[in-house]
Amino acid sequence: GNEDDLWTDWNSLVVENPKPLGPARHKRRIMRQFGTKVTVMYVDLVRSHSAVEVMRFPNKEHGFMIEVVKSLAEDDPLMPPLPAGYSRMEVLAYNLWLPTTTRDGRDACVMVQVSRVDVGVPIPSWAVKPIGKR
């Protein structure tokens, strides 16, 4: 499964669950994520929109999965128009999903991620500090 219907349950930055933009193929989907927002002190700093291609490469023999998430090019025929009041967010993320076991023997999963995100507008440094360090 792709768990697209659960995004708003676990990610407070996402305004609505992603929507498919094109036909899903084996290991490849193209999705629209509408309305990611960053709010600081009740002020919307960023209202962004992205359209991404998600490719998953599971390796059942060794028990891991690699996932690549990248933005569609602006001239891609599947790229939807930019909604008024939103900026285009560019994403490139590489995820490695690894199975593991907890100390008490339960199955678990660890995700290692390397990503670059450009939200399309300048963000003040005071707003970025709580998110991560450079």
Side-chain angles (χ1 to χ4, degrees):
N2 295 310
E3 306 84 31
D4 295 338
D5 58 332
L6 300 175
W7 279 38
T8 54
D9 293 347
W10 61 266
N11 189 340
S12 62
L13 297 178
V14 177
V15 175
E16 70 180 40
N17 289 318
K19 305 281 188 263
L21 285 176
R25 294 188 178 94
H26 183 61
K27 300 178 186 167
R28 179 178 181 262
R29 294 177 310 131
I30 297 176
M31 303 169 33
R32 173 183 183 170
Q33 182 175 323
F34 179 71
T36 302
K37 66 179 179 178
V38 176
T39 304
V40 176
M41 298 181 74
Y42 306 104
V43 176
D44 282 352
L45 292 179
V46 178
R47 291 173 45 157
S48 63
H49 171 272
S50 64
V52 297
E53 177 180 29
V54 180
M55 294 173 285
R56 289 182 170 176
F57 305 97
N59 185 316
K60 293 180 182 178
E61 181 181 346
H62 297 287
F64 67 88
M65 182 177 73
I66 296 172
E67 182 177 56
V68 179
V69 180
K70 68 177 186 172
S71 296
L72 295 178
E74 279 296 324
D75 61 351
D76 191 298
L78 292 176
M79 178 64 84
L82 187 62
Y86 283 79
S87 63
R88 184 79 73 201
M89 182 170 64
E90 292 187 28
V91 177
L92 178 59
Y94 301 97
N95 303 322
L96 174 61
W97 298 83
L98 300 165
T100 187
T101 307
T102 62
R103 284 191 289 175
D104 59 359
R106 291 180 293 139
D107 289 339
C109 183
V110 173
M111 182 188 72
V112 180
Q113 181 181 69
V114 176
S115 60
R116 181 182 186 287
V117 177
D118 181 352
V119 294
V121 296
I123 300 177
S125 60
W126 60 267
V128 176
K129 283 184 181 179
I131 299 170
K133 295 182 180 179
R134 271 189 118 164

